[in-house]
Amino acid sequence: MHIDIVILTQKEYINPEKLDAYVQNVLNEDVIVQKALEVQGLKVKRVSWDDPTFDWTTTKYAVFRATWDYFHRFEAFSIWLEKVSKQTTLLNSEAIIRWNIDKHYLLDLQKNGVHIAETHFIEQGATETLQELHSKFNLQETVLKPCISGAARHTYKLNKSNLAAHESIFAELIKTEAMMLQPFQYNIVKKGEISMMVFNGKFTHAILKTAKPGEFRVQDDFGGTIQIHEPTKAEIAFAENCTKACAEIPMYARVDIFEDNNGNIALSELELIEPELWFREYPEAAKVLAKAIKNIM
């Protein structure tokens, strides 16, 4: 059967055994996107990215949505990505996804004029200790995280009092992967982090993510809350410019921004693979995405 576009998810969300609020949000988001695509006259199907029975040559396009297990199965995902990109058109493209998987992409954006948080990349195999790195870069309170990650995996808040306790886990991590060390950003705790949704280079809506008291991670996995955010013109311009600074303008992007310790708008992350886009908070954005996809067919 011919299909115009596949909505990519993971197998746990195809016929979920456990239908909690988290899973229900995933399903609701996909329904909103599917209906918007169908209004454009497109034939749509939801498929798990690792479905061994699906013939990828039967669809023109595949758009990433809740493929949230990819960073736990990165080798399998990478093999699949190379294979499927030759059989159909991926949105976003294989090239930009591979670039976006590794947080070193922040350096490319910085070279193209995007202001990012102060970041020190510690490459795989480095032998310096956390204590030595903090002294070297004159850092007091920091956040340590992997360059390839998601859902705050191995993300630690560090200071002089707990460096020693984290030395062993850092020593193990750096053997197999590169890490990032950033000065702790106090305004993310005080004011939150803003997720700006941008489709085909144009901003649609924004969400303010706030950490729960005593927590520094804003993800809902750690008790964070969200609310609709009315961005400033400067925030909108910053978000759109982030997507224009990429090698190609992505079909969809979530631009996570915050006010840095110097009071400037800074990029936290540019999510181009499988970001939560909060269509349920602003369904009109799904229509914008659907029209943009229809226009390239």
Side-chain angles (χ1 to χ4, degrees), residues 91-104:
L91 302 173
N92 290 314
S93 72
E94 179 199 10
I96 203 168
I97 283 175
R98 289 194 181 279
W99 172 76
N100 189 237
I101 283 172
D102 189 318
K103 298 297 191 299
H104 283 85

Side-chain angles (χ1 to χ4, degrees), residues 158-227:
L158 305 175
N159 54 51
K160 290 183 178 180
S161 67
N162 69 0
L163 281 182
H166 287 85
E167 289 287 10
S168 60
I169 190 168
F170 171 68
E172 285 301 310
L173 288 169
I174 204 64
K175 288 178 183 177
T176 58
E177 58 185 318
M179 303 291 291
M180 302 164 61
L181 191 62
Q182 299 174 313
F184 185 76
Q185 298 294 331
Y186 297 96
N187 284 324
I188 290 182
V189 174
K190 292 178 183 177
K191 301 181 180 181
E193 181 182 74
I194 303 167
S195 286
M196 307 280 287
M197 270 50 75
V198 181
F199 298 97
N200 205 27
K202 297 297 181 181
F203 165 80
T204 58
H205 64 297
I207 294 290
L208 175 65
K209 298 178 288 186
T210 308
K212 74 176 183 179
E215 179 58 72
F216 71 97
R217 294 163 293 194
V218 297
Q219 291 90 345
D220 54 8
D221 311 59
F222 301 98
T225 56
I226 68 158
Q227 65 187 72

Side-chain angles (χ1 to χ4, degrees), residues 38-52:
E38 288 174 344
V39 166
Q40 294 297 318
L42 304 177
K43 293 182 180 179
V44 187
K45 182 181 177 68
R46 289 178 73 242
V47 178
S48 175
W49 67 268
D50 61 350
D51 185 341

